Amino acid sequence: MSDLGRMNYFLGMEVNQTEKGIFLCQSSFTMKILDKFSMKNCKPTSTPMAVGVKLSRQGSGEPICETMYKSLIGSLLYLTATRPDIMFAVSVLSRYMNCCNDQHFRAAKRVLRYIKGTIGHGVLFKRAKNMKLIGYVDSDWAGSSDDMRSTSGYAFSLGSERCEWPGISCNTAGSIIQINLSYAFLIEVGDRFGKLNFSSFPNLVLLDLSHRQLGGKIPHQIGNLSALKHLDLSNFGLSGELPPSLGNLTQLEYLDISYNYNINGSIPPHLGNLVNLVSLNLSWTSLSGNIPPFLGLLTNLRHLLLDRNQFDDGNNTIPQNLWNLRGLETLSLGHCGIVGPIPSALGQLLNLKSLILWGNKINGSIPPEVGFLSNLTYFDVYDNRLVGSIPFSLYQLTNLEILHLGNNQLEGSIPQNIEKLMNIKFLSITNNSFTGHIPLALCRLTKLEYIYLDENQISGSIPSCLGKLFNLRTLDLDSNLLEGLSPEEIGNVANLTSLSLSQNKLSGSIPSCIGNLSNLYTLELDSNLLIGSIPEEIGKLFHLSNLNLSFNQLSGSVPILSATKLRIIDAGNNCNKISPDPFEGNSRLSPYMCTSPVTNKANSSTIPYHIKIFLPIAIFSTFSILGYFLF
């Protein structure tokens, strides 16, 4: 490890440390802004904003390019880190990002003219002799001409140091203890993370640089921040391996390096030193190797998220000592290449609230010990190789809100005691081998918002009591063996946005009450035995974007639709051609139902529709040509 000496540059800020104090400025960044907006040779002005100027959203100025205006304001906002003299002007101008016009742009250019004449200005932190706390607060008292709201501000200093900046805080001794430059505070940073010098922040307890795109590797000097308790580098554009020096941060309680897709290598064993860690999030990176057993030694851990990595596919198992983490509340191991069964020791994690194991190769059955996890709210084992039936103990999880069992090889029927899951909002058993009927007990789960029972072998009729699930947004029952009529009561579910009943054996007509589902986006009734005409009420579904009525025995025409968002309509393989054709000229919409069979009395054969139309034309043309030559 090398000593980089005194800091002289940090995130675009120039640092000059002398005996008089520490001077921070952004002169080079200021020149870049002036050059970017062609104001390098502009005439300076003495104030950033004209006295008495009143800007408004309702101004009469000409609209300008929002992208250019947002880029200018974003650059100026970052400049306020060392230029509090422009904070008010820039804050006012930032209100008009989505309604900017040439008046706002002229006011912004005045700020550029001001900083042109004050390029060398910055903030000087003097050596303090009197550690006196001073605060300033002011307000313009209903100064906004748009909504009559006030603009307020505050500043506190200790000695000569401003210790409360947006995103930066210090302690009573004047040392910086928090740096939060996440997307909420930072607009544009041009440097790379690997150039940062951390030796000047021995008391730093929080470092949040999330949702930035600085890039580079995590420097090993980050291990010098021995007081750090919170480190968030998520969505950062980082690459390379995790440095072993992270293991030096023994006070760390929160570590988030998720959504850095180019982080690779294995999880370093030095992370086993982080005994105070409460939350560890390494999901959505490119880490490889195995899930390390030492994670089971971090006994203070409450949240462990390792989803979507590139761990050895087919060689990973859930480390047995993870069950020692009795305080664990979140265990998320989705798409981690895990094989083998779910250990029964899982039942020891009595504080667990979220268990996420989707996208692995887990086999065997769901252990009945899952029923011991009385605090569980989220259980996701989607896309594995689980077999057997759902254990009855699972229905004891009365706090469960999300149950995702889709894409497995589960079987059996849905029992009546599913009604015990009174807080369930999301239920999915899609693409399994469940049989039997839809239990009436399902209708008692009044908090349900999403039901996915598709691609099973469920038979019987659709219970009319589903119309009592007023919070329901999605009902997917396609690819089953359901028969009978579509219940009229389904029209009572006013919040429904997606209704899919395709590939069943439903009969009768389409209930007109579907027209009451004013929020419906998707309606799929294809591949059934539906008859009759299409209800006119369907034409009132303004938000409809996908309508599939194909492969039925429907007749008549598709009603004129008021749906402005309609993208797909398929009414093919029914009985008659649609008339009139409301979809002419749109190749993405299917304008035809199947042709009606016509019987020839001579041979009782079926004459196809296109032959019926074009054969008389061909005969007439033939005789016309012969007549021309003969006569």
Side-chain angles (χ1 to χ4, degrees):
M1 184 179 297
S2 59
D3 184 5
L4 299 180
R6 286 188 173 186
M7 180 175 65
N8 53 35
Y9 194 80
F10 178 76
L11 290 177
M13 299 181 194
E14 298 152 38
V15 183
N16 185 16
Q17 304 183 46
T18 66
E19 293 181 358
K20 293 182 179 180
I22 302 175
F23 181 68
L24 303 179
C25 71
Q26 294 169 279
S27 56
S28 60
F29 182 66
T30 302
M31 292 302 298
K32 289 181 181 178
I33 297 176
L34 293 171
D35 185 53
K36 179 178 180 180
F37 295 98
S38 303
M39 296 288 285
K40 202 169 184 177
N41 299 316
C42 67
K43 183 179 179 180
T45 186
S46 58
T47 58
M49 179 173 278
V51 177
V53 66
K54 289 288 184 180
L55 298 175
S56 172
R57 294 176 181 272
Q58 310 300 328
S60 58
E62 292 293 325
I64 63 169
C65 176
E66 285 188 8
T67 303
M68 179 177 60
Y69 185 79
K70 289 179 179 179
S71 178
L72 172 55
I73 299 303
S75 300
L76 292 174
L77 280 171
Y78 185 56
L79 189 60
T80 60
T82 60
R83 296 295 301 268
D85 50 335
I86 65 171
M87 175 64 80
F88 174 77
V90 176
S91 296
V92 170
L93 293 169
S94 66
R95 299 174 185 171
Y96 310 107
M97 297 248 239
N98 297 319
C99 56
C100 52
N101 56 42
D102 58 345
Q103 294 179 355
H104 304 131
F105 190 61
R106 281 197 300 270
K109 289 175 71 174
R110 183 184 177 92
V111 178
L112 293 177
R113 291 171 58 202
Y114 172 73
I115 64 174
K116 173 60 168 40
T118 56
I119 290 176
H121 284 202
V123 179
L124 175 63
F125 298 108
K126 295 181 180 179
R127 186 186 298 271
K129 295 181 179 179
N130 182 13
M131 299 297 289
K132 186 177 180 181
L133 181 65
I134 302 175
Y136 302 90
V137 179
D138 197 8
S139 174
D140 67 352
W141 299 107
S144 173
S145 58
D146 290 314
D147 52 19
M148 301 304 293
R149 292 185 178 181
S150 302
T151 299
S152 302
Y154 69 89
F156 290 90
S157 65
L158 190 65
S160 70
E161 300 186 27
R162 167 81 182 270
C163 63
E164 284 296 337
W165 292 87
I168 299 178
S169 302
C170 62
N171 59 15
T172 55
S175 298
I176 293 178
I177 58 172
Q178 292 190 8
I179 299 178
N180 184 351
L181 300 179
S182 62
Y183 63 90
F185 295 103
L186 189 59
I187 303 298
E188 181 178 344
V189 176
D191 233 327
R192 294 182 69 81
F193 189 49
K195 293 184 179 180
L196 302 185
N197 185 348
F198 297 99
S199 59
S200 299
F201 305 107
N203 298 309
L204 195 67
V205 295
L206 182 148
L207 179 59
D208 187 345
L209 300 175
S210 59
H211 295 83
R212 295 293 98 221
Q213 295 298 317
L214 301 188
K217 298 180 179 181
I218 301 176
H220 64 85
Q221 292 91 343
I222 201 170
N224 296 336
L225 303 175
S226 57
L228 202 62
K229 293 185 177 181
H230 182 113
L231 177 59
D232 190 346
L233 304 176
S234 59
N235 287 274
F236 200 72
L238 294 170
S239 59
E241 299 183 359
L242 298 178
S245 60
L246 285 173
N248 299 337
L249 307 177
T250 54
Q251 301 300 315
L252 204 61
E253 297 177 1
Y254 179 95
L255 176 59
D256 189 348
I257 310 181
S258 60
Y259 293 93
N260 287 286
Y261 305 106
N262 295 317
I263 288 286
N264 52 41
S266 58
I267 300 176
H270 304 80
L271 293 190
N273 299 333
L274 307 182
V275 293
N276 292 305
L277 207 59
V278 174
S279 177
L280 175 61
N281 190 348
L282 303 178
S283 59
W284 291 85
T285 64
S286 297
L287 293 170
S288 56
N290 294 316
I291 301 175
F294 69 76
L295 294 177
L297 303 177
L298 306 178
T299 54
N300 289 309
L301 210 57
R302 297 291 180 270
H303 308 281
L304 176 59
L305 300 93
L306 302 176
D307 304 82
R308 202 74 188 190
N309 278 285
Q310 297 182 12
F311 296 122
D312 291 342
D313 195 14
N315 295 316
N316 253 320
T317 57
I318 302 176
Q320 290 294 327
N321 58 355
L322 283 187
W323 316 124
N324 297 331
L325 307 178
R326 300 302 173 85
L328 203 63
E329 297 178 8
T330 303
L331 178 59
S332 189
L333 303 176
H335 203 283
C336 285
I338 296 173
V339 298
I342 301 175
S344 59
L346 172 77
Q348 300 174 20
L349 304 180
L350 300 181
N351 291 308
L352 204 62
K353 295 181 180 179
S354 297
L355 178 59
I356 302 170
L357 302 172
W358 62 272
N360 288 291
K361 297 179 181 178
I362 298 173
N363 54 30
S365 58
I366 300 174
E369 287 79 6
V370 169
F372 299 156
L373 307 178
S374 57
N375 293 306
L376 202 65
T377 61
Y378 190 167
F379 183 41
D380 186 350
V381 289
Y382 172 78
D383 196 17
N384 279 283
R385 300 175 180 178
L386 294 169
V387 297
S389 58
I390 302 175
F392 282 95
S393 60
L394 188 141
Y395 301 111
Q396 300 173 11
L397 305 178
T398 54
N399 291 310
L400 201 62
E401 296 181 3
I402 297 175
L403 178 59
H404 201 346
L405 307 178
N407 261 34
N408 281 286
Q409 301 168 29
L410 298 170
E411 56 188 10
S413 59
I414 307 172
Q416 288 289 335
N417 57 356
I418 195 174
E419 65 184 356
K420 296 181 179 180
L421 304 180
M422 294 301 298
N423 290 298
I424 194 80
K425 296 179 180 179
F426 181 101
L427 173 63
S428 174
I429 60 171
T430 183
N431 195 19
N432 280 283
S433 299
F434 286 99
T435 57
H437 296 178
I438 299 174
L440 297 179
L442 194 66
C443 304
R444 302 188 185 101
L445 304 178
T446 54
K447 294 184 179 181
L448 267 173
E449 297 180 13
Y450 302 91
I451 298 178
Y452 295 93
L453 309 183
D454 52 303
E455 298 186 63
N456 283 283
Q457 300 175 33
I458 298 172
S459 58
S461 60
I462 300 174
S464 60
C465 61
L466 290 179
K468 298 179 180 179
L469 300 179
F470 301 120
N471 292 309
L472 200 61
R473 297 177 180 274
T474 297
L475 178 60
D476 192 343
L477 305 177
D478 70 5
S479 302
N480 278 289
L481 303 173
L482 297 169
E483 51 191 9
L485 303 176
S486 302
E488 291 278 347
E489 291 78 2
I490 207 71
N492 298 331
V493 190
N495 290 318
L496 204 63
T497 60
S498 178
L499 176 60
S500 182
L501 307 178
S502 60
Q503 299 186 52
N504 281 286
K505 299 179 180 180
L506 299 176
S507 56
S509 59
I510 300 175
S512 59
C513 63
I514 287 180
N516 298 334
L517 305 177
S518 57
N519 293 308
L520 206 61
Y521 280 82
T522 300
L523 176 59
E524 297 179 340
L525 302 175
D526 57 288
S527 303
N528 281 287
L529 303 173
L530 299 174
I531 60 174
S533 60
I534 301 171
E536 292 291 331
E537 288 79 2
I538 287 182
K540 301 176 183 178
L541 300 178
F542 179 78
H543 297 289
L544 198 64
S545 63
N546 182 1
L547 175 62
N548 194 342
L549 305 174
S550 61
F551 291 94
N552 281 288
Q553 300 174 26
L554 298 170
S555 58
S557 61
V558 173
I560 301 299
L561 299 172
S562 61
T564 59
K565 299 180 181 179
L566 195 64
R567 294 293 178 270
I568 301 173
I569 179 170
D570 191 350
N573 290 280
N574 277 281
C575 296
N576 292 318
K577 176 183 175 182
I578 293 178
S579 178
D581 178 6
F583 315 110
E584 185 175 358
N586 193 335
S587 60
R588 297 189 63 183
L589 306 181
S590 173
Y592 295 106
M593 293 182 178
C594 68
T595 56
S596 177
V598 178
T599 303
N600 186 319
K601 293 182 180 180
N603 54 17
S604 299
S605 62
T606 300
I607 302 177
Y609 181 79
H610 62 277
I611 296 179
K612 175 184 175 182
I613 294 296
F614 291 106
L615 185 58
I617 297 175
I619 294 174
F620 176 79
S621 300
T622 302
F623 279 105
S624 298
I625 294 171
L626 289 174
Y628 177 80
F629 285 105
L630 292 175
F631 302 101

